[in-house]
Amino acid sequence: MRASLIQIAVNEDESVVSRRVRAVDLVREQSGSADLVVLPELWTTGAFAYEAFGTEAEPLEGPTYEAMAKAASEAGVWLHAGSIPERDPDGPLYNTSLLFSPSGDLAAAYRKIHRFGFDKGEAVLMGAGRELVTVRLPQTTLGVATCYDLRFPELFRGLVGAGAETLVVPAGWPERRRSHWTLLAQARAVENQAFVLACGTAGTHAGVPQAGHSIVVDPWGEVLAQAGPGEEVLSVEFDPAQVAKIREQFPALKDRVLGLEPPRR
Ligand SMILES: NC(=O)CCC(=O)C(=O)O
């Protein structure tokens, strides 16, 4: 299976419209060389450009949906189109990922469960999703999560319990915590015996330099490929059958113990 992670640069001197056009071109360029294409979190606005969340929010089937559905079908690829600030007509904003099939149909939408910022930013501006999302592709079952979700192993356990073999994590991870990014991507791969495809942004927005360094990790925890800091398409070929082999040869997932007793005192 071939995957291309589009580590697009999000700088505030470029308009959302221009970046969307560039993203469409980059997806189209993967035609014939990728089965799955991945874009990062909130690449229209930037994950830290909090003021833009409200002004650039779109309905689910808004301009980014339209552009990405078309790009997926033109390129003939499965497309994880990263996430958008979604304006729910009956509720708050959500950080919502969109996944399209090669025919351009929406295969799934995932509303980010863990919002970043503690008492400010995304944590107060957006609502929290509640549902785990997996998507069956011909080659593998994807489990999706977004950026800060990477810090919450129980979410990934839930995805694995629902059949996920390849964990896809679009992000807008800052340079300041790049070491956590690489470490956590490897940890989620090892503990869940799954591939991890983690796609970040490059550039600087809202004064926050982005880490880049998108990464693909195999189910043994080995880094198959890692991008540099700038805009880049990280292409990788991997064998999804490795998941079943490793889970059989080293069946640690079968030894999970759920529902432990709390300490007595
Ligand atoms: N957009 C995010 O979720 C940022 C997460 C982050 O900076 C961190 O977990 O560290």
Side-chain angles (χ1 to χ4, degrees):
M1 180 165 187
R2 299 158 308 163
S4 291
L5 279 57
I6 299 179
Q7 179 175 287
I8 198 164
V10 181
N11 293 305
E12 52 227 339
D13 60 0
E14 181 181 33
S15 70
V16 169
V17 171
S18 154
R19 193 155 42 252
R20 194 182 289 123
V21 169
R22 284 200 312 111
V24 165
D25 287 344
L26 287 162
V27 172
R28 281 209 201 104
E29 283 168 20
Q30 309 315 309
S31 180
S33 57
D35 305 298
L36 170 66
V37 176
V38 183
L39 277 158
E41 178 190 32
L42 296 176
W43 55 269
T44 55
T45 55
F48 287 87
Y50 301 138
E51 307 77 43
F53 291 175
T55 55
E56 298 294 343
E58 320 175 21
L60 188 79
E61 298 189 11
T64 303
Y65 179 109
E66 294 292 334
M68 291 294 126
K70 195 159 176 278
S73 71
E74 284 171 0
V77 296
W78 287 90
L79 175 62
H80 186 316
S83 69
I84 57 163
E86 179 205 350
R87 185 179 296 288
D88 180 337
D90 306 317
L93 302 180
Y94 290 98
N95 184 339
T96 304
S97 288
L98 304 171
L99 283 97
F100 296 95
S101 74
S103 51
D105 296 317
L106 187 72
Y110 165 67
R111 286 175 167 170
K112 185 178 181 183
I113 292 174
H114 302 94
R115 297 154 301 162
F116 183 68
F118 309 115
D119 56 357
K120 56 182 192 317
E122 183 190 18
V124 295
L125 296 170
M126 290 191 171
R130 298 285 308 161
E131 268 177 51
L132 296 177
V133 171
T134 60
V135 183
R136 182 67 208 158
L137 269 54
Q139 305 90 336
T140 185
T141 298
L142 305 183
V144 297
T146 305
C147 202
Y148 187 49
D149 282 336
L150 194 57
R151 294 187 182 273
F152 299 88
E154 62 279 12
L155 184 156
F156 291 83
R157 274 293 203 251
L159 291 171
V160 166
E165 299 160 331
T166 300
L167 303 164
V168 184
V169 188
W173 202 274
E175 169 58 21
R176 189 185 307 169
R177 292 183 290 280
R178 173 152 66 88
S179 61
H180 295 190
W181 167 250
T182 301
L183 190 65
L184 289 167
Q186 287 188 270
R188 297 295 86 85
V190 172
E191 74 198 358
N192 294 300
Q193 304 186 303
F195 285 96
V196 169
L197 277 53
C199 179
T201 48
T204 297
H205 58 267
V208 182
Q210 295 294 287
H213 288 85
S214 297
I215 186 167
V216 177
V217 190
D218 78 9
W220 196 245
E222 301 293 337
V223 177
L224 295 184
Q226 187 158 29
E231 181 162 310
E232 177 177 339
V233 177
L234 182 70
S235 295
V236 68
E237 191 159 354
F238 63 98
D239 178 11
Q242 210 186 332
V243 171
K245 277 189 208 139
I246 285 181
R247 288 181 183 178
E248 194 183 314
Q249 286 163 9
F250 193 83
L253 280 178
K254 288 194 182 144
D255 284 338
R256 277 171 291 173
V257 179
L258 306 174
L260 292 173
E261 302 289 331
R264 292 212 183 123
R265 59 192 155 111

